[in-house]
């Protein structure tokens, strides 16, 4: 039996030493040392040995097991190291190869104008206020002094969900919400940017959905000259500090007096850019501000309109088509 064990040892040693990969090594471990392996099967015959022989054979079998186990583990280490080295050799990075081009996105021109306008007004002490796009008749029309028969209230001009609820037609609905929340506290100095919806047919200058920024200031002693100063500052920061403006009389239900503001373009002449006015006393009153004590001014413009004037864009639909040839022109903005 000792002879059989020594033979087994020599065969196993030779095979382990000449193994070329980790899988073969695993198989050899099972073959020689596993539960159904060759060493175990030789040891099963120990029952037939004399009591003197048994400890000697047992000791030899243990010695062989230990020897084979340590041989397998050192060979495993050796093969793993070889495998790793091979991998490292094959995976060397050639740092001289050209890199993959990175595609860099650009801020959408409407987003850029939105952020620029926010920055300018925040710089003049305004806060940004937001409200829902699905609005009630109360905040979209009633609180802003639109009479019941005003054409904007017509089902044909606005997207109604039911007779009381519609998609807001201007961000002016945010202002009465903010004023009511302030419960008569002053100053109110807010801008309201956001999407608005009108039931228009889309063409080069109209879209059923566009973006506005409207602003509102309410305090004691707010005047038309402050309105003009704030809006001239905004316009000159947006279009250049030499830009000239003019004010024309206009009409909005929520302001009295109302004006439209034009900027002067040497090639195109006067271009309308903003609507504005002193907040109508009835509008102040409805939102909890006594018009005997407080006055206010408000203004509004389309973000698309500002972007079209600033970048010389002639069709509003360019903003929504996501044509990369158009959008890439704003890469460095
Ligand atoms: C309250 C009181 C007054 C907001 C104002 C305008 C003038 C205006 C339009 C211009 C073109 C928006 O993009 S547009 O359709 N807006 O001309 N908006 S004053 O006045 C308010 C708002 C809220 C409580």
């Amino acid at each position: 039996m000792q002879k059989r064990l020594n033979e087994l040892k020599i065969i196993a040693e030779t095979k382990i030493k000449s193994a070329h990969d980790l899988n073969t090594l695993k198989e050899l471990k099972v073959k020689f040392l596993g539960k159904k392996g060759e060493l175990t099967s030789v040891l099963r015959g120990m029952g037939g040995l004399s009591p003197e022989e048994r400890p000697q054979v047992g000791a030899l079998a243990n010695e062989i097991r230990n020897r084979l186990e340590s041989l397998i583990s050192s060979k495993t280490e050796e093969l793993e190291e070889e495998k790793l080295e091979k991998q490292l050799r094959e995976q060397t990075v050639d740092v001289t190869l050209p890199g993959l081009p990175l595609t860099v996105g650009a801020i959408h021109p409407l987003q850029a104008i939105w952020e620029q306008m926010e920055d300018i007004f925040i710089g003049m002490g305004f806060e940004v206020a937001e409200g829902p796009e699905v609005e009630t008749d109360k905040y979209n029309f009633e609180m802003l002094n639109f009479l019941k028969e005003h054409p904007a209230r017509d089902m044909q001009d606005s997207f109604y969900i039911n007779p009381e609820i519609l998609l807001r037609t201007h961000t002016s609905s945010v202002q009465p919400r903010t004023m009511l929340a302030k419960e008569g506290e002053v100053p109110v100095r807010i801008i309201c940017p956001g999407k608005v919806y009108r039931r228009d047919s889309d063409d080069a200058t109209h879209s059923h959905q566009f973006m506005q920024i409207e602003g509102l200031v309410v305090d004691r002693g707010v005047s038309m000259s402050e309105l003009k100063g704030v809006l001239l500052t905004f316009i000159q920061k947006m279009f250049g500090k030499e830009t000239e403006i003019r004010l024309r009389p206009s009409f909005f239900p929520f302001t009295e007096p109302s004006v439209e503001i034009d900027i002067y373009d040497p090639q195109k002449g006067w271009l309308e850019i903003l609507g504005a006015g002193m907040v109508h006393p009835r509008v102040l009153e409805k939102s909890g501000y006594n018009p005997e004590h407080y006055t206010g001014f408000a203004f509004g413009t389309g973000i698309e309109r500002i972007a079209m004037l600033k970048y010389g864009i002639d069709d509003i639909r360019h903003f929504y088509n996501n044509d990369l040839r158009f959008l890439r022109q704003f890469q460095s903005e």
Side-chain angles (χ1 to χ4, degrees):
M1 191 161 208
Q2 270 143 315
K3 189 169 166 248
R4 174 83 193 99
L5 282 173
N6 280 324
E7 276 169 13
L8 192 65
K9 178 185 168 208
I10 289 165
I11 296 169
E13 276 182 353
T14 319
K15 289 204 167 166
I16 292 166
K17 280 181 191 160
S18 60
H20 286 302
D21 61 79
L22 289 162
N23 272 346
T24 316
L25 212 52
K26 244 188 222 167
E27 281 164 21
L28 289 173
K29 190 172 181 179
V30 174
K31 178 173 159 65
F32 291 109
L33 302 176
K35 269 188 193 158
K36 292 179 185 164
E38 294 188 17
L39 188 62
T40 320
S41 88
V42 174
L43 291 177
R44 277 210 191 96
M46 273 177 75
L49 295 176
S50 67
E52 297 82 43
E53 274 176 316
R54 231 178 268 163
Q56 285 170 15
V57 172
L60 178 63
N62 269 340
E63 187 198 312
I64 293 174
R65 172 177 290 281
N66 291 341
R67 163 81 184 138
L68 295 182
E69 269 174 358
S70 88
L71 204 59
I72 288 173
S73 84
S74 62
K75 188 73 185 176
T76 307
E77 238 170 74
E78 188 188 308
L79 287 177
E80 271 172 354
E81 219 164 279
E82 255 176 41
K83 189 175 154 190
L84 184 68
E85 262 170 39
K86 187 166 170 255
Q87 255 177 6
L88 288 174
R89 256 197 320 276
E90 282 169 2
Q91 289 175 357
T92 47
V93 177
D94 182 353
V95 290
T96 63
L97 286 174
L100 294 173
L102 280 178
T103 46
V104 180
I107 307 266
H108 193 282
L110 296 179
Q111 180 71 20
I113 294 287
W114 177 322
E115 286 173 12
Q116 224 173 318
M117 287 184 70
E118 276 192 356
D119 286 349
I120 294 172
F121 283 105
I122 287 169
M124 290 193 276
F126 284 74
E127 283 174 33
V128 177
E130 284 178 17
E133 287 177 26
V134 179
E135 220 1 314
T136 53
D137 178 271
K138 176 180 163 189
Y139 290 108
N140 197 78
F141 294 128
E142 190 70 43
M143 299 289 281
L144 295 161
N145 197 33
F146 281 78
L147 300 176
K148 277 281 175 220
E149 59 276 13
H150 194 281
R153 281 183 138 166
D154 198 300
M155 290 283 173
Q156 301 306 312
D157 290 316
S158 306
F159 289 109
Y160 277 88
I161 287 153
N162 65 39
E164 287 306 315
I165 299 175
L166 72 162
L167 298 184
R168 69 181 177 196
T169 59
H170 44 204
T171 55
S172 313
S173 54
V174 180
Q175 283 96 319
R177 286 179 173 278
T178 312
M179 285 197 279
L180 285 176
K182 283 181 84 104
E183 295 179 337
E185 190 196 316
V186 284
V188 178
R189 212 172 168 83
I190 52 169
I191 53 163
C192 311
K195 280 186 194 160
V196 301
Y197 303 83
R198 290 187 192 172
R199 224 164 142 167
D200 261 332
S201 304
D202 293 355
D203 61 24
T205 52
H206 296 86
S207 168
H208 63 284
Q209 180 231 281
F210 62 103
M211 290 196 274
Q212 280 189 339
I213 290 198
E214 296 207 312
L216 172 73
V217 173
V218 180
D219 206 343
R220 281 179 192 275
V222 172
S223 65
M224 193 88 181
S225 65
E226 188 179 345
L227 176 160
K228 190 177 168 190
V230 165
L231 295 178
L232 181 63
T233 304
F234 156 68
I235 286 167
Q236 292 188 335
K237 280 185 190 283
M238 182 59 82
F239 294 97
K241 59 180 190 306
E242 306 301 330
T243 313
E244 284 179 63
I245 65 167
R246 77 173 180 192
L247 273 59
R248 280 181 291 111
S250 186
F251 173 82
F252 303 109
F254 33 73
T255 47
E256 182 57 38
S258 304
V259 290
E260 260 157 329
I261 301 179
D262 301 335
I263 57 170
Y264 189 71
D265 179 298
Q267 264 92 51
K268 297 180 188 152
W270 291 104
L271 303 168
E272 185 193 325
I273 180 158
L274 283 153
M278 298 307 292
V279 180
H280 197 293
R282 213 172 296 142
V283 171
L284 285 174
E285 204 162 19
K286 279 176 192 274
S287 286
Y289 287 80
N290 184 344
E292 298 289 327
H293 300 149
Y294 301 110
T295 50
F297 72 81
F299 55 90
T301 189
I303 294 181
E304 282 83 348
R305 179 157 189 79
I306 302 279
M308 287 170 85
L309 289 172
K310 188 166 162 101
Y311 300 125
I313 296 164
D314 57 5
D315 193 324
I316 197 170
R317 291 167 292 195
H318 284 309
F319 293 123
Y320 315 121
N321 289 339
N322 288 329
D323 184 331
L324 288 176
R325 289 167 302 178
F326 171 75
L327 293 174
R328 285 212 174 103
Q329 299 176 79
F330 302 93
Q331 206 107 32
S332 60
E333 284 296 325

